[in-house]
Amino acid sequence: MKLGIQLPHGGDIASRETIAAAATHAEQIGLDSVWVWDRLLRTTRPIPFRGRPPGPMPRVYATVFDPLETLTYAAAMTKRVQLGTSTILALFHSPVVLARRLATLDQLSGGRVIAGFGLGWLEEEFTASGIPMARRGRRMTEFVGAVRAVWGADPVSFQGEFYSIPESDIGPKPVQSGGIPILLAAQSDGALKRAARIGDGVNPFATMDFKRLQRDVALFRRTAQEAGRDGTLLPVVLRANAQLTDTRLPADGRLLFAGTVDQWRDDLERIRDIGVTHVIFGSDVPPPLDVQLRVLAELRQHLR
């Protein structure tokens, strides 16, 4: 199992110094990857979403460094760790532009990029981007196809309902043979099935208990098999919204990676048994960076 850390590029902690420290120390202690996330804005008048009452958005959303520029900065000071997005809000981008930016980063980093794409859920971000929220799933399916076309052999061409690419030569191409792996974020059955059908892996979020994750992984693997793919070969990259405590939390109702370091170790063993291949540790309100790195070094040694 691989372990990664979310870079501190959002909120009051975000700075060139903290990002550099996290990236270089992650590589030094043997972590496998560093990750970034995406947020365009912090709305001050949030619209209810899926029945949730209005309320203030997390302060960390107010300032988020651009994910790809942040990864480029991290790439320049590391040599080994993979560089992932978990996730970039793909639909707010042109597929040609985003494909070229990711391929450029893959070239400059020597083939270390993992592209995690998410649909987005904040209506105000869609408004600001000029993109309708309707039919997001179909748009994402086509977006992935267009990005892969750009990474394929020249001349590139693509014709779809939402995106069109005239026959063209488009470079650079990724270093990685077959293109950069694309993970699709999934928090619903529809998203899990989409990832199983068209993704190179799935990126669920661990704001759930173990039984829910077990069920989601099984659905992902089963759908991949039904689509004629070997579901056992597709990675499950879990983003753990971790909560570290000094005392053990009661087992009843405890979410994954909430509790003590010992409870995190137990969670790693359980999710490895159901086929999770990679875990990203991060949180909107994380422990101090030195504490995160110390704990992850312990977990890395435990897994070895």
Side-chain angles (χ1 to χ4, degrees), residues 35 82-88 90 113-119 140 144 148 151 180-186 191 194-196 198-204 220 234-239 277-278 280:
W35 297 78
Q82 291 180 289
L83 309 160
T85 62
S86 176
T87 59
I88 196 166
V113 178
I114 303 172
F117 290 169
L119 286 176
M140 176 63 86
V144 171
R148 287 188 173 136
W151 291 340
I180 296 165
I182 295 176
L183 309 176
L184 295 184
R194 186 182 308 110
I198 68 168
D200 298 312
V202 68
N203 181 206
F220 170 73
L234 296 175
V236 177
V237 181
L238 180 70
R239 179 170 171 172
T277 56
H278 201 144
I280 308 162

Side-chain angles (χ1 to χ4, degrees), residues 5-9 19 23 33-37 65-78 81-88 101-102 104-106 108-109 112-116 180:
I5 189 173
Q6 176 182 292
L7 293 176
H9 70 111
I19 293 167
S33 56
V34 295
W35 297 78
V36 291
W37 53 290
F65 287 22
D66 183 88
L68 294 189
E69 271 80 354
T70 300
L71 283 185
T72 302
Y73 181 56
M77 58 191 68
T78 58
V81 289
Q82 291 180 289
L83 309 160
T85 62
S86 176
T87 59
I88 196 166
R101 293 181 71 198
L102 287 165
T104 299
L105 178 57
D106 204 53
L108 296 177
S109 67
R112 292 189 275 151
V113 178
I114 303 172
I180 296 165

Side-chain angles (χ1 to χ4, degrees), residues 136-242:
R136 288 175 296 160
R138 290 183 63 178
R139 191 181 290 269
M140 176 63 86
T141 297
E142 196 171 295
F143 189 97
V144 171
V147 166
R148 287 188 173 136
V150 173
W151 291 340
D154 288 325
V156 171
S157 65
F158 186 87
Q159 185 64 46
E161 180 182 2
F162 304 104
Y163 305 106
S164 297
I165 305 173
E167 185 172 298
S168 312
D169 295 334
I170 303 177
K173 307 297 184 183
V175 172
Q176 300 177 67
S177 61
I180 296 165
I182 295 176
L183 309 176
L184 295 184
Q187 291 182 284
S188 68
D189 287 3
L192 287 163
K193 292 178 180 179
R194 186 182 308 110
R197 291 191 296 265
I198 68 168
D200 298 312
V202 68
N203 181 206
F205 291 76
T207 51
M208 62 184 75
D209 61 22
F210 174 75
K211 289 184 178 179
R212 169 63 189 275
L213 178 63
Q214 186 177 37
R215 175 254 183 206
D216 285 359
V217 172
L219 175 60
F220 170 73
R221 302 281 193 212
R222 184 171 65 251
T223 305
Q225 293 295 139
E226 292 169 354
R229 313 178 74 192
D230 188 345
T232 62
L233 298 180
L234 296 175
V236 177
V237 181
L238 180 70
R239 179 170 171 172
N241 290 329

